[in-house]
Amino acid sequence: GMTPVEVRHLTVRYPGQKIPVLKDVSFSIQKGENVLLVGPSGGGKSTLSLVLNGIVPHSIEAEVQGDVRINGRSLHEVEVTDICREVGILFQDPESQFCMQTVEDEIVFGLENVRFSRAEMEQRIEHSLALTGMSSRRDRFISELSGGLQQKLGLACLLALGQSLLILDEPTANLDPNGARDVIELLARLAQDP
């Protein structure tokens, strides 16, 4: 079968920096694998995430060498909107990633970018809310949700798109212990039963 993620000799350098933030990185991720990326702050973990979903170099300028393939297609050859269908990122700061006011509208917003039919959208909304335990909060204002619930919503938005690769960039860093435990338990459950 196809390897979902294949990175070969990736080197990334931001403008004005002499030393690359990532240097000659190679790895692959197989389907169903959960990969933990650890390292010091500033070690390039977020940069790697941003390369995998095309934000670097398409939105954030950087010099990128090497080859990155998602589901067999080189990122050089694909449009950013195509990458977004395959790869989703959940960031540290829940609130900064939302554009809409209510839970449902936020999930719809992501789906509209990918142009699903209304019926399929409805099915995906219900499914992703159920998976994340957010069904009862469908009509809530995002601003009223705790940080932990906001991260669950962020995850619901990604799950609704059905992306084959989910990247979680320290999604519990800004949560209180209860919220963090909730999100981690949810992720563990999703990891076992994709």
Side-chain angles (χ1 to χ4, degrees), residues 49-68:
S49 304
L50 295 172
V51 168
L52 288 175
N53 93 332
I55 292 175
V56 170
H58 295 287
S59 302
I60 298 173
E61 192 188 338
E63 181 189 325
V64 179
Q65 294 165 327
D67 190 36
V68 178

Side-chain angles (χ1 to χ4, degrees), residues 25-139:
V25 176
S26 296
F27 66 93
S28 60
I29 301 174
Q30 305 303 322
K31 192 164 174 52
E33 252 186 331
N34 296 299
V35 178
L36 177 64
L37 189 59
V38 290
S41 187
K45 300 186 296 294
S46 292
T47 295
L48 181 59
S49 304
L50 295 172
V51 168
L52 288 175
N53 93 332
I55 292 175
V56 170
H58 295 287
S59 302
I60 298 173
E61 192 188 338
E63 181 189 325
V64 179
Q65 294 165 327
D67 190 36
V68 178
R69 290 178 179 272
I70 306 283
N71 295 326
R73 297 160 72 202
S74 173
L75 292 196
H76 298 308
E77 302 157 11
V78 296
E79 292 292 313
V80 180
T81 46
D82 286 343
I83 304 170
C84 291
R85 284 176 212 197
E86 312 277 346
V87 182
I89 299 191
L90 190 62
F91 293 100
Q92 288 185 22
D93 181 16
E95 232 168 337
S96 66
Q97 52 200 332
F98 300 124
C99 311
M100 308 301 280
Q101 288 202 314
T102 70
V103 167
E104 179 178 355
D105 287 346
E106 187 62 39
I107 301 176
V108 168
F109 177 74
L111 292 172
E112 278 179 340
N113 290 335
V114 187
R115 301 195 183 87
F116 289 111
S117 73
R118 189 64 222 177
E120 192 177 359
M121 271 182 161
E122 179 55 38
Q123 196 183 341
R124 285 169 176 267
I125 293 165
E126 280 179 20
H127 183 60
S128 66
L129 287 172
L131 279 176
T132 51
M134 294 282 287
S135 299
S136 63
R137 299 186 171 90
R138 183 168 175 160
D139 301 320

Side-chain angles (χ1 to χ4, degrees), residues 120-180:
E120 192 177 359
M121 271 182 161
E122 179 55 38
Q123 196 183 341
R124 285 169 176 267
I125 293 165
E126 280 179 20
H127 183 60
S128 66
L129 287 172
L131 279 176
T132 51
M134 294 282 287
S135 299
S136 63
R137 299 186 171 90
R138 183 168 175 160
D139 301 320
R140 290 277 300 276
F141 282 102
I142 296 171
S143 56
E144 297 169 356
L145 300 178
S146 67
L149 289 174
Q150 287 187 3
Q151 283 301 49
K152 287 184 175 182
L153 170 58
L155 200 55
C157 290
L158 301 181
L159 292 168
L161 284 166
Q163 292 149 320
S164 54
L165 176 66
L166 296 182
I167 299 171
L168 312 169
D169 189 350
E170 296 189 47
T172 60
N174 297 329
L175 303 183
D176 63 47
N178 287 342

